[in-house]
């Protein structure tokens, strides 16, 4: 059995828990490291692998922002990512309040295969809205990111980034009535690579005899991110709880067995 890892044994800038891709806590094991972080000292900042989302823009979000700015931006522009046009619009208005002469644009990206209404894309709704603005005004944009909490999540950025690389996340103006040439849809990270047709009986037996991927285990067990096959059943369980027919604090499988005679409308 491996020895327990104490907090002070975790390297400066490593995620807590260690090697957790979407962790929101970071190791600053000494007082000197905390002071170094607050004062922006390079020996701390350069080692930061993650951090609290409002203060540290996740590296996957940073990389995705750079890719969008490279493709859709102009010289000297950078991108800040938001999950919807509405949140991006509020961010743009905030930036213009403090820099009214700045040119700020919003680029919306939607699934290229949207017209086929593929079930996975319909469930996840992988859309991104990017604010494009001059790089020298990053501090103003970062204020909105930090104080609003409306920036895109690292998990959403991870999923959408792969769609973007595959050419499956595009501006709405490029969509046509014709079907995409390739029917293949990027499935994103492995934890999303599940069939999306929901069947309760197959869901119960889907993990029997299988060795679960450790990333999926962490995401689903501790990150509370359901497998996509459970989407419709989870919504049904929530409706039953709201209706009062589900009162026990139980797991999803047990929840589906509760109140089977109750109305689901």
């Amino acid at each position: 059995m491996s020895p327990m890892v104490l907090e002070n044994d975790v390297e400066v800038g490593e995620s807590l828990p260690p090697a957790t891709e979407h962790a929101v806590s970071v190791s600053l094991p000494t007082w000197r490291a905390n002071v170094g972080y607050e004062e922006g000292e390079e020996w701390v900042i350069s080692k930061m692998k993650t951090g609290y989302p409002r203060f540290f823009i996740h590296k996957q979000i940073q990389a995705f922002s750079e890719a969008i700015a490279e493709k859709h931006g102009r010289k000297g522009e950078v991108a800040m990512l938001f999950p919807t046009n509405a949140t991006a619009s509020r961010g743009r208005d905030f930036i213009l309040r403090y820099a009214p002469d700045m040119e700020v644009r919003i680029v919306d990206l939607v699934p290229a295969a949207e017209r086929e209404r593929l079930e996975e894309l319909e469930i996840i709704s992988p859309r991104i809205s990017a604010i494009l603005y001059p790089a020298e005004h990053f501090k103003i944009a970062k204020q909105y990111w930090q104080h609003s909490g409306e920036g895109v999540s690292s998990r959403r950025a991870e999923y959408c980034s792969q769609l973007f690389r595959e050419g499956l996340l595009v501006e709405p103006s490029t969509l046509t009535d014709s079907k995409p040439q390739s029917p293949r849809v990027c499935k994103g990270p492995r934890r999303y690579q599940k069939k999306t047709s929901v069947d309760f009986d197959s869901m119960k037996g889907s993990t029997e005899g299988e060795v679960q991927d450790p990333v999926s285990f962490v995401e689903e067990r501790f990150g509370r991110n359901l497998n996509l096959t459970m989407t419709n059943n989870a919504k049904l369980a929530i409706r039953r709880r709201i209706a009062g027919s589900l009162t026990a604090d139980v797991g999803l499988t047990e929840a589906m067995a509760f109140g089977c005679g109750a109305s689901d409308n």
Side-chain angles (χ1 to χ4, degrees), residues 54-95:
R54 290 193 186 219
F55 299 99
F56 181 90
I57 299 178
H58 194 280
K59 291 197 172 184
Q60 293 215 32
I61 300 176
Q62 293 181 38
F64 191 18
S65 298
E66 291 170 3
I68 290 176
E70 182 178 351
K71 183 171 183 177
H72 296 283
R74 300 166 185 163
K75 185 176 180 180
E77 285 186 331
V78 293
M80 185 161 282
L81 308 186
F82 294 85
T84 65
N85 180 273
T87 53
S89 296
R90 288 193 287 270
R92 177 193 57 197
D93 293 344
F94 179 90
I95 294 171

Side-chain angles (χ1 to χ4, degrees), residues 241-257:
R241 187 177 293 277
I242 293 172
S245 61
L246 176 60
T247 58
D249 186 12
V250 296
L252 181 59
T253 302
E254 293 83 357
M256 294 307 302

Side-chain angles (χ1 to χ4, degrees), residues 82-143:
F82 294 85
T84 65
N85 180 273
T87 53
S89 296
R90 288 193 287 270
R92 177 193 57 197
D93 293 344
F94 179 90
I95 294 171
L96 291 174
R97 187 187 311 165
Y98 294 95
D101 297 329
M102 188 196 320
E103 183 177 359
V104 183
R105 300 180 294 117
I106 294 177
V107 172
D108 296 315
L109 298 173
V110 300
E114 185 179 52
R115 291 188 181 277
E116 289 190 309
R117 306 304 297 170
L118 295 174
E119 188 174 2
E120 178 176 321
L121 298 186
E122 191 171 0
I123 291 172
I124 299 176
S125 186
R127 291 165 169 77
I128 289 289
S129 291
I131 301 177
L132 292 165
Y133 62 95
E136 60 266 25
H137 293 291
F138 171 77
K139 287 187 177 180
I140 297 176
K142 179 66 184 309
Q143 287 180 39

Side-chain angles (χ1 to χ4, degrees), residues 89 98 122 155 158 216 238:
S89 296
Y98 294 95
E122 191 171 0
R155 290 180 177 88
E158 178 187 42
S216 297
I238 291 172

Side-chain angles (χ1 to χ4, degrees), residues 1-17:
M1 182 176 180
S2 59
M4 180 182 296
V5 177
L6 301 177
E7 183 176 340
N8 284 351
D9 294 332
V10 180
E11 184 180 353
V12 170
E14 178 59 78
S15 64
L16 292 174

